[in-house]
Amino acid sequence: MIQLEQLSKFYGSDHDAICALNNVDLTVPKGSITGVIGVSGAGKSTLIRCVNMLERPSSGRVLVDGQDLTQLDAPALRKARHDIGMIFQHFNLLDSRTVYQNIAFPLELMGFDKNAMKERITPLLELTGLSDKKDRYPSALSGGQKQRVAIARALASRPKVLLCDEATSALDPQTTSSILELLREINQELGLTILLITHEMEVVKSICDSVALISGGELVETSKVGPFFTAP
Ligand code: ADP
Ligand code: ADP
């Protein structure tokens, strides 16, 4: 579902350029939950941001569902991004909009009318357990609830892929478990392929099928997360 081929990213130019990713090859199979783990500064965030072109790769290819995103012009990329949802460590909600309006935001950009929006949003509120919070503003929500809103918003365009950038790093352990449980449910019931980055091995152990270790911008190891690690 996601293929990174010889992906490199340099920040800055020429003599003082920082190499954040160095010829990374990674395949994320359809329907899997794949984790990328590594210490701070390893290049995880750069990697996941290259998957939806929030960051332009310096070289290499990024294929999502067979389409090379590095070759697309702006309108084609906008369309391709409907297939790619993303959630963040600090949720990135719009504080001036309610839960419902936050989830509606991508649909507004896609030109949905009010009824079509409601048809999409109602089941997402149910899935994320937010039906009774739909008219609240983000400031009145807990961290876990905010991340649920962000997940519902990411799912609104019916993506094939969900990118999670340290999605549980700002949450306490109990809330982390409930968010990971929700992500697993989304993977199993909606069939979404999930690519997540984290600095916590516990996150990988609890939901990932495969894990890739990144260090100094290089992919140093990829392996299956064995049954030993996935046991409760
Ligand atoms: P991680 O997510 O694993 O902490 P990052 O991808 O954020 O790693 O960073 C990888 C390297 O790239 C680090 O050396 C970091 O300082 C550098 N870097 C990240 N973003 C930028 C940027 N916008 N400008 C310059 N250097 C950056
Ligand atoms: P908090 O964000 O305060 O930690 P929770 O994340 O535990 O709250 O739960 C928020 C709402 O989501 C509650 O109404 C709860 O019943 C519901 N909920 C909890 N887990 C799930 C789940 N896996 N799927 C759907 N809804 C859930």
Side-chain angles (χ1 to χ4, degrees):
M1 180 56 73
I2 303 171
Q3 284 161 278
L4 307 180
E5 297 179 358
Q6 292 290 295
L7 187 68
S8 293
K9 174 68 186 183
F10 297 90
Y11 291 108
S13 53
D14 301 336
H15 57 282
D16 58 353
I18 294 166
C19 180
L21 292 176
N22 186 11
N23 291 324
V24 168
D25 287 302
L26 178 68
T27 298
V28 178
K30 192 171 180 165
S32 72
I33 304 183
T34 297
V36 175
I37 195 158
V39 298
S40 176
K44 304 181 297 295
S45 180
T46 301
L47 183 151
I48 206 163
R49 291 165 65 87
C50 281
V51 175
N52 60 359
M53 301 283 119
L54 278 181
E55 214 59 84
R56 275 260 154 206
S58 304
S59 61
R61 306 209 307 158
V62 176
L63 292 102
V64 175
D65 205 15
Q67 192 175 35
D68 184 358
L69 303 187
T70 65
Q71 299 300 312
L72 302 180
D73 60 14
L77 181 59
R78 218 174 295 132
K79 195 154 175 282
R81 278 186 175 139
H82 298 163
D83 287 341
I84 310 169
M86 187 164 185
I87 58 171
F88 304 87
Q89 178 173 5
H90 296 295
F91 324 120
N92 297 11
L93 299 179
L94 299 163
D95 290 331
S96 61
R97 288 171 159 249
T98 63
V99 167
Y100 187 93
Q101 291 164 346
N102 265 279
I103 303 169
F105 189 63
L107 299 174
E108 282 170 24
L109 297 180
M110 289 166 78
F112 275 61
D113 67 32
K114 279 201 178 335
N115 287 332
M117 258 186 228
K118 197 171 178 191
E119 258 175 54
R120 284 253 176 140
I121 294 170
T122 303
L124 288 171
L125 287 167
E126 272 169 40
L127 173 74
T128 52
L130 292 167
S131 302
D132 60 339
K133 313 241 167 16
K134 67 182 172 56
D135 297 320
R136 288 211 188 166
Y137 286 90
S139 58
L141 301 177
S142 70
Q145 288 165 344
K146 285 182 195 170
Q147 195 59 289
R148 287 172 183 275
V149 179
I151 290 169
R153 181 181 59 181
L155 296 180
S157 66
R158 298 207 176 137
K160 296 171 183 160
V161 167
L162 182 64
L163 307 176
C164 309
D165 184 349
E166 298 280 4
T168 57
S169 298
L171 305 175
D172 62 58
Q174 204 181 335
T175 310
T176 292
S177 304
S178 88
I179 293 295
L180 294 178
E181 204 177 292
L182 178 60
L183 291 177
R184 192 191 281 124
E185 195 180 317
I186 286 163
N187 167 253
Q188 290 177 354
E189 284 171 28
L190 306 179
L192 249 81
T193 303
I194 297 180
L195 177 63
L196 65 84
I197 64 171
T198 180
H199 63 277
E200 294 169 295
M201 198 59 197
E202 282 308 312
V203 169
V204 168
K205 282 182 187 170
S206 69
I207 63 162
C208 292
D209 309 312
S210 301
V211 60
L213 175 65
I214 188 170
S215 173
E218 310 217 357
L219 209 59
V220 292
E221 197 180 326
T222 55
S223 74
K224 291 253 172 249
V225 176
F228 172 75
F229 292 113
T230 52

